[in-house]
Amino acid sequence: PAIDALIYARGGKAQHRVVQALGRGMRPLPGKTNLEVVDFYDTHSKTLFRHAKERLEAYQSDEKAYHVSIEEI
């Protein structure tokens, strides 16, 4: 529960795994108000690009629970 950031640097698209990882990071802790999530949107591989798009859909699946902002770096 003491983490405040999650770096998702892997492939995969299973919504339940993405939501489970977010849930682990969002475990309550006094004074904790948010979880920063960094995910990489791979554009070099068709398969990884598709996986990234599906993870984004998982993040956006519950707008009340998650706020998603996309930043290009």
Side-chain angles (χ1 to χ4, degrees), residues 17-33:
R17 289 185 188 217
V18 173
V19 171
Q20 183 180 39
L22 292 174
R24 287 181 179 150
M26 293 170 52
R27 288 184 178 150
L29 185 70
K32 183 175 178 177
T33 59

Side-chain angles (χ1 to χ4, degrees), residues 4-6 9 18-19 27 30 36 38 42-44 46 51 56 59 66-67 69 71-73:
D4 57 4
L6 171 67
V18 173
V19 171
R27 288 184 178 150
E36 183 80 23
V38 177
D42 193 322
T43 59
H44 297 93
K46 289 180 182 181
H51 287 188
L56 179 59
Y59 297 138
Y66 315 118
H67 168 73
S69 66
E71 299 178 28
E72 189 172 328
I73 54 172

